[in-house]
Amino acid sequence: MNIINLPSFLQLGQHAGKILRLSTRAISVKVQTDSSTKVKPKTGILMLNMGGPTNVLQVHGYLLRIMTDRDMIQLPVQSQLGPWIAKRRTPEVQKKYAEIGGGSPILEWTNKQGELLSKQLDKVSPETAPHKYYVAFRYADPLTEDTLNEIEEDGVERTVIFSQYPQYSCATSGSSFNAIYKYYKDRELPKDMKWSIIDRWSTHPLYVKTIAERIKDELAHFPNDKRDDVIILFSAHSLPLKAVNRGDSYPSEVGATVQLVMQELNYCNPYSLVWQSKVGPLPWLAPFTDDALKGYVKQGKKNFILVPVAFVNEHIETLHEMDIEYCQELAEEIGVEKIRRAAAPNDHPLFIDALTDIVVNHLRSNQPINPKFLTRCPHCANKNCGQSKSWFAQICKS
């Protein structure tokens, strides 16, 4: 989250050692294709996310798609200004990706999660097997429209659209769902295919437990005499205040996740919810992660754990913004004694169990679409949003 990911691409990077190599990435993509097409899938799991460039040559196209997506960001004369900003930012962003190994690991992590999820679903839900996962990224390959075409060619009987954003935001989750609507707006839907949606899951117990376990792993690295005083900073992608005031549910859903995680940890440490990746001059949701670190150090606090609370896998905001900009550069500048960053859920067994449980419960429910998903923000001004939700209400029928 992770929202309004424009900043994600303007503030990037991390330790190359934490990223699988590009050769591994290519193998991962191939494994999905080869292993999952031997048997015609009955149930498709369409995993939605923003995506990321797998190499520096893809950065410009990635930024261009973001800067011209009005669901993500609204600019004056966007058709001209968006491409200009994308071109101007490309060298800077390429440098950031080079610093974390040459590209984003989000596709390889999503492939791994999808493979493990599909295998477990085949075991625990044989009545809906065989299952095949599909990756649908909004701004990088595999693009949503290409993946939808693949699903049609496979002749899937039922497609579960599974957002990989645990907390819903109009700018990220909403943009991905709108992309599906736009694809089919002037096309005929596949015949005899059932559709359903999992649009948010910020309070799922196993997802919460996964984050708690990641925090425990990091607390163990602090000396006994300092451990109880470590401040846990849950860091999520910020959101423009105009989106918050419009009624976007993202901040409250992130807050719900944080509270349940700390409850799971028996409120063992002081904690705070902070926000990262602000861009531009307009007001955004605060306090910002870097400012919070500075403020706590002034108060005499010296030990911290940063927790990516809205990202399900490693990407530029964890690997560069958190690890390099905050945990290395800023920490040294302000005199932090010890700071660590909790890993994203990635392929943690509890997280794969969470994904499996979410999908199985959905498949066995009588609710193909969440009423909350169909409800627009109180002050929604996006006509496309209303049209998209009406369309999904029609296709997702029990």
Side-chain angles (χ1 to χ4, degrees):
M1 166 176 37
N2 10 202
I3 274 203
I4 300 282
N5 248 310
L6 165 62
S8 318
F9 322 106
L10 310 181
Q11 308 171 1
L12 319 138
Q14 154 159 29
H15 307 309
K18 292 186 177 180
I19 303 179
L20 300 178
R21 298 190 178 187
L22 291 177
S23 58
T24 305
R25 181 177 295 122
I27 293 172
S28 178
V29 177
K30 188 176 187 297
V31 167
Q32 178 197 1
T33 303
D34 292 349
S35 64
S36 53
T37 55
K38 294 178 181 178
V39 180
K40 179 180 177 180
K42 182 176 183 179
T43 305
I45 311 300
L46 182 60
M47 303 174 75
L48 304 182
N49 212 326
M50 172 172 287
T54 56
N55 60 67
V56 294
L57 297 179
Q58 295 178 358
V59 168
H60 178 258
Y62 178 58
L63 293 177
L64 181 61
R65 293 185 186 101
I66 293 167
M67 300 308 303
T68 53
D69 177 14
R70 291 192 64 79
D71 290 329
M72 169 61 74
I73 185 171
Q74 295 81 46
L75 299 168
V77 291
Q78 190 150 351
S79 60
Q80 288 81 42
L81 185 57
W84 181 83
I85 294 175
K87 183 178 181 180
R88 179 173 173 268
R89 289 289 186 178
T90 293
E92 174 190 348
V93 175
Q94 287 177 327
K95 181 176 181 294
K96 300 284 189 177
Y97 274 104
E99 292 175 2
I100 63 166
S104 172
I106 190 170
L107 177 57
E108 48 201 303
W109 279 121
T110 306
N111 277 330
K112 180 173 286 190
Q113 291 162 344
E115 290 170 11
L116 294 171
L117 169 61
S118 297
K119 289 178 181 178
Q120 288 201 177
L121 286 174
D122 286 347
K123 293 179 181 178
V124 301
S125 184
E127 65 275 16
T128 56
H131 302 83
K132 178 180 177 180
Y133 77 96
Y134 298 84
V135 178
F137 285 160
R138 187 68 184 89
Y139 306 116
D141 293 331
L143 293 170
T144 302
E145 52 266 33
D146 297 328
T147 302
L148 291 172
N149 184 61
E150 182 184 355
I151 290 176
E152 292 183 26
E153 291 178 350
D154 284 350
V156 174
E157 294 180 22
R158 176 174 181 176
T159 297
V160 177
I161 306 172
F162 189 9
S163 173
Q164 296 303 289
Y165 302 103
Q167 303 90 2
Y168 187 97
S169 173
C170 299
T172 51
S173 318
S175 181
S176 286
F177 282 107
N178 287 348
I180 297 173
Y181 160 66
K182 292 173 184 175
Y183 178 82
Y184 282 117
K185 185 177 180 181
D186 299 315
R187 289 180 175 86
E188 189 174 329
L189 278 168
K191 294 181 179 179
D192 303 321
M193 184 191 295
K194 292 184 178 180
W195 297 82
S196 61
I197 289 174
I198 302 171
D199 64 305
R200 68 196 79 202
W201 36 280
S202 62
T203 59
H204 190 277
L206 292 177
Y207 167 58
V208 167
K209 192 172 182 63
T210 301
I211 299 176
E213 290 299 312
R214 292 300 201 195
I215 294 171
K216 289 179 183 178
D217 291 342
E218 300 310 316
L219 280 171
H221 289 274
F222 288 83
N224 290 335
D225 61 333
K226 302 286 182 67
R227 192 169 300 158
D228 292 343
D229 295 325
V230 174
I231 295 182
I232 302 171
L233 293 180
F234 294 89
S235 187
H237 201 303
S238 188
L239 195 67
L241 286 185
K242 65 178 182 179
V244 177
N245 295 336
R246 194 167 56 232
D248 198 300
S249 62
Y250 172 73
S252 63
E253 293 185 17
V254 174
T257 303
V258 169
Q259 292 303 311
L260 289 175
V261 170
M262 290 310 302
Q263 181 176 295
E264 177 72 24
L265 293 171
N266 295 316
Y267 299 96
C268 60
N269 284 72
Y271 67 98
S272 185
L273 172 56
V274 294
W275 308 90
Q276 65 184 85
S277 306
K278 175 193 181 289
V279 68
L282 296 177
W284 283 56
L285 198 58
F288 303 123
T289 305
D290 53 349
D291 289 341
L293 285 167
K294 294 174 185 177
Y296 279 127
V297 168
K298 287 181 179 179
Q299 294 176 17
K301 307 298 182 181
K302 296 286 187 175
N303 296 280
F304 304 91
I305 293 175
L306 293 185
V307 183
V309 68
F311 310 123
V312 300
N313 37 41
E314 307 297 353
H315 66 308
I316 200 69
E317 289 170 12
T318 60
L319 298 176
H320 191 281
E321 190 171 7
M322 285 187 173
D323 288 355
I324 294 179
E325 296 175 31
Y326 300 155
C327 292
Q328 292 183 24
E329 297 172 350
L330 180 62
E332 181 178 354
E333 175 188 332
I334 63 178
V336 166
E337 183 176 311
K338 191 178 185 68
I339 184 169
R340 296 187 64 86
R341 197 264 293 175
N346 299 328
D347 60 347
H348 193 294
L350 279 175
F351 183 61
I352 303 304
D353 288 345
L355 296 179
T356 304
D357 189 62
I358 291 166
V359 175
V360 168
N361 287 333
H362 175 76
L363 289 170
R364 295 175 181 173
S365 75
N366 293 317
Q367 189 180 69
I369 193 167
N370 180 0
K372 173 63 175 173
F373 173 78
L374 297 176
T375 306
R376 298 169 67 184
C377 295
H379 303 294
C380 178
N382 186 345
K383 293 182 180 180
N384 188 55
C385 177
Q387 295 169 353
S388 173
K389 291 183 183 298
S390 296
W391 180 79
F392 277 111
Q394 291 297 315
I395 71 163
C396 296
K397 296 179 179 178
S398 57

